[in-house]
């Protein structure tokens, strides 16, 4: 069957925050098509690909009708006739449609949805799952990292820290890991209910952090792990996304009304990593605070992850690796805009001995691309928010299906600090 593109359609659909987002369908012969939906961040890095939003009064200016129009009038004619099997070629065409590498003219959301649609179209035309387009024979399923409590920009800054996650350590299969995390989620809910009335959920489906601060949240998390019959640090580790850019200004980190300079702030985090079984810690310092990132890597036994700090940019990954500013790379396709750009960040990570975490965004949909990318790219970890709400479970459930289709694979090994050269 011909795998050349015969139609490209864009439309405005809805994400988990009730905000519009771009969906693209790319069709090949006989109505076979792939669909991609752009996710959206809340705590975005300033160097990410720029979203194209309509502005004005409709939906608080968040509409994407202009982006959809560009899919139909600009992206479609550029891609018609091209071979979906050539993802790099398609992504190069998408790159060429915007003179600005930040994609401010046609939108990172426009490009992301189109690039993901092309990947899924390439799979559909061959009658195979999308992970298989990226890798014929994966040998592992990425180990999940799952939010139990959401804070920061995802919970009206109820806590400074954005993401209190667990990271199953002893589970060897995805289904078992998810079941363990579900037990922890329930246990933490019971502990929080016993402390008083609960106040709903955070943006990615985690419990609203009704806690007095970071240490209190971690105490509840450890208690939840134990209540679930698991050993903290042995069966279940903790992962934190500090998302420090969110509360840093003028070189100071403001937490609980108190300002901390970089060295003092990082030392506070390192003390937390020593006191709790924190296996990975993301963005401990601001996106421009390379000194803070280096201090964290130098001082922690914990794996230091770059998200806003790296923005899925292969060159930034290489530079940060050379300067010893990260151990691990968070990969979000919509930070860079294309599947090929995401793959380049993965390659840069691997060439420099860094581990790879493929991540969803806080604004998500039923799109399951992340499960396929994480498996196809051989990621160490996959991160999609909590184990509740359908935009999250869509990905976890897809991973269960992928594992089954592959005959049952081991989970990727638990990540460790990058080896010293
Ligand atoms: P975001 O958060 O999607 O709101 O940027 C996710 C993360 O920081 O990992
Ligand atoms: Zn992050």
């Amino acid at each position: 069957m011909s795998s050349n593109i015969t139609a490209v359609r864009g439309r405005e659909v809805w994400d988990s925050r009730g905000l519009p987002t771009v969906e693209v369908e790319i069709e090949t012969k006989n109505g076979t098509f792939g669909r991609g939906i752009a996710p959206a961040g809340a705590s975005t890095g300033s160097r990410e690909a720029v979203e194209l939003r309509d502005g004005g009064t409709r939906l608080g200016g968040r509409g994407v009708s202009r982006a959809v129009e560009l899919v139909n009038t600009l992206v479609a004619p550029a891609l018609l006739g091209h071979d979906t099997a050539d993802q790099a070629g398609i992504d190069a065409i998408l790159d060429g449609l915007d003179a600005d590498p930040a994609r401010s003219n046609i939108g990172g959301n426009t490009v992301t949805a189109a690039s993901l649609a092309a990947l899924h179209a390439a799979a559909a035309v061959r009658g195979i799952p999308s992970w298989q387009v990226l890798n014929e024979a994966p040998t592992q399923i990425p180990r999940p990292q799952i939010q139990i409590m959401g804070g920061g920009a995802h919970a009206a800054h109820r806590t400074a820290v954005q993401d209190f996650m667990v990271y199953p350590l002893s589970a060897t299969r995805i289904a078992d890991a998810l079941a363990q995390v579900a037990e922890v989620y329930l246990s933490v809910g019971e502990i929080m209910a016993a402390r008083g009335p609960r106040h709903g959920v955070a943006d990615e489906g985690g419990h609203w952090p009704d806690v007095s601060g970071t240490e209190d949240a971690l105490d509840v998390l450890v208690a939840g792990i134990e209540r679930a019959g698991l050993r903290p640090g042995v069966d279940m580790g903790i992962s934190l996304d500090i998302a420090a850019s969110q509360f840093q200004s003028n070189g100071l980190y403001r937490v609980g009304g108190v300002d901390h300079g970089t060295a003092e702030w990082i030392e506070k985090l390192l003390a937390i990593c020593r006191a709790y079984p924190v296996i990975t810690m993301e963005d401990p310092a601001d996106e421009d605070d390379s000194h803070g990132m280096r201090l964290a890597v130098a001082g922690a036994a914990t794996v230091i992850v770059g998200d806003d700090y790296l923005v899925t940019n292969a060159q930034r990954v290489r530079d940060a690796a050379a300067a010893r500013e990260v151990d691990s790379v968070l990969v979000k396709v919509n930070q860079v805009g294309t599947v090929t750009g995401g793959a380049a960040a993965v390659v840069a990570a691997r060439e420099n001995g860094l581990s790879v975490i493929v991540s969803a965004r806080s604004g998500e949909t039923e799109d399951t691309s992340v499960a396929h990318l994480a498996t196809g790219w051989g990621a160490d970890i996959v991160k999609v928010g909590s184990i509740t709400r359908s935009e999250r479970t869509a990905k976890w459930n897809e991973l269960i299906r992928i594992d089954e289709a592959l005959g049952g694979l081991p989970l990727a090994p638990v990540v460790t600090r990058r080896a010293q050269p």
Side-chain angles (χ1 to χ4, degrees):
M1 188 189 283
S2 166
S3 55
N4 290 350
I5 295 172
T6 54
V8 178
R9 286 182 296 271
R11 63 175 68 91
E12 190 176 74
V13 297
W14 300 92
D15 78 7
S16 54
R17 280 191 277 254
L19 292 173
T21 189
V22 183
E23 170 172 294
V24 173
E25 286 174 356
I26 289 185
E27 194 171 310
T28 57
K29 267 229 164 67
N30 305 328
T32 305
F33 74 98
R35 175 185 292 148
I37 312 179
S43 64
T44 49
S46 65
R47 297 181 184 86
E48 289 191 26
V50 178
E51 287 184 328
L52 186 63
R53 300 276 182 185
D54 294 339
T57 53
R58 177 179 175 263
L59 297 162
R62 311 276 295 181
V64 293
S65 54
R66 173 88 184 117
V68 167
E69 188 185 311
L70 285 172
V71 170
N72 295 323
T73 59
L74 186 72
V75 175
L79 293 187
L80 283 182
H82 285 276
D83 187 353
T84 55
D86 179 18
Q87 182 82 44
I90 286 172
D91 288 341
I93 292 170
L94 293 172
D95 290 343
L97 294 177
D98 201 326
D100 178 7
R103 308 188 192 278
S104 59
N105 297 303
I106 74 164
N109 43 352
T110 310
V111 175
T112 298
S115 183
L116 291 173
L119 170 69
H120 300 311
V125 81
R126 292 172 60 194
I128 60 172
S130 297
W131 57 259
Q132 202 176 345
V133 174
L134 303 168
N135 183 349
E136 268 301 321
T139 56
Q140 60 184 24
I141 298 292
R143 191 169 284 271
Q145 192 173 71
I146 304 187
Q147 183 186 83
I148 303 297
M149 269 178 265
H154 303 157
H157 299 280
R158 181 68 190 73
T159 54
V161 171
Q162 179 174 288
D163 227 342
F164 297 91
M165 296 173 283
V166 290
Y167 179 43
L169 304 175
S170 62
T172 57
R173 297 287 303 277
I174 184 73
D176 300 333
L178 294 173
Q180 288 182 349
V181 173
E183 295 279 8
V184 174
Y185 186 86
L186 291 173
S187 297
V188 166
E190 287 161 9
I191 291 166
M192 295 183 84
R195 287 162 56 130
R198 281 195 274 172
H199 295 100
V201 297
D203 250 2
E204 296 185 1
H207 294 292
W208 186 262
D210 243 327
V211 292
S212 62
T214 305
E215 280 90 345
D216 190 27
L218 287 165
D219 287 339
V220 169
L221 204 45
V222 167
I225 292 169
E226 285 169 343
R227 188 183 174 102
L230 299 162
R231 293 165 295 174
V234 178
D235 298 313
M236 195 61 75
I238 291 173
S239 289
L240 298 175
D241 183 359
I242 308 298
S245 300
Q246 290 288 313
F247 51 88
Q248 186 277 158
S249 68
N250 301 320
L252 295 174
Y253 295 87
R254 171 162 283 234
V255 176
V258 180
D259 285 332
H260 306 274
T262 292
E264 188 196 345
W265 170 245
I266 297 298
E267 186 42 47
K268 262 183 95 70
L269 290 178
L270 295 181
I272 285 170
C273 291
R274 288 190 291 270
Y276 298 90
V278 180
I279 313 295
T280 74
M281 182 165 66
E282 192 176 319
D283 285 346
D286 175 72
E287 60 183 355
D288 292 317
D289 189 354
S290 52
H291 177 59
M293 294 298 287
R294 281 194 295 275
L295 285 178
V297 168
T302 297
V303 172
I304 303 299
V305 183
D307 171 15
D308 295 349
Y309 193 71
L310 301 173
V311 290
T312 313
N313 178 311
Q315 190 55 48
R316 285 187 69 80
V317 170
R318 283 189 285 271
D319 293 346
R324 308 205 74 78
E325 292 159 357
V326 295
D327 299 301
S328 187
V329 179
L330 203 84
V331 175
K332 293 168 165 169
V333 165
N334 81 322
Q335 284 182 329
V336 62
T338 60
V339 171
T340 302
V346 172
V347 169
R350 294 306 188 196
E351 284 176 355
N352 288 282
L354 306 174
S355 50
V356 171
I357 304 176
V358 171
S359 172
R361 302 306 302 250
S362 51
E364 271 292 338
T365 67
E366 68 274 23
D367 183 290
T368 60
S369 301
V370 160
H372 292 270
L373 295 169
T375 305
W377 285 338
D380 301 282
I381 295 177
V382 57
K383 171 188 172 187
V384 306
S386 79
I387 192 150
T388 71
R389 308 213 313 189
S390 302
E391 80 278 7
R392 314 290 152 190
T393 54
K395 282 75 158 172
W396 301 132
N397 294 344
E398 190 75 352
L399 282 161
I400 291 171
R401 295 181 200 108
I402 292 171
D403 181 52
E404 195 178 300
L406 282 162
L409 289 178
L411 286 174
V414 172
V415 293
T416 53
R417 292 289 312 280
R418 177 195 193 196
Q420 299 297 315

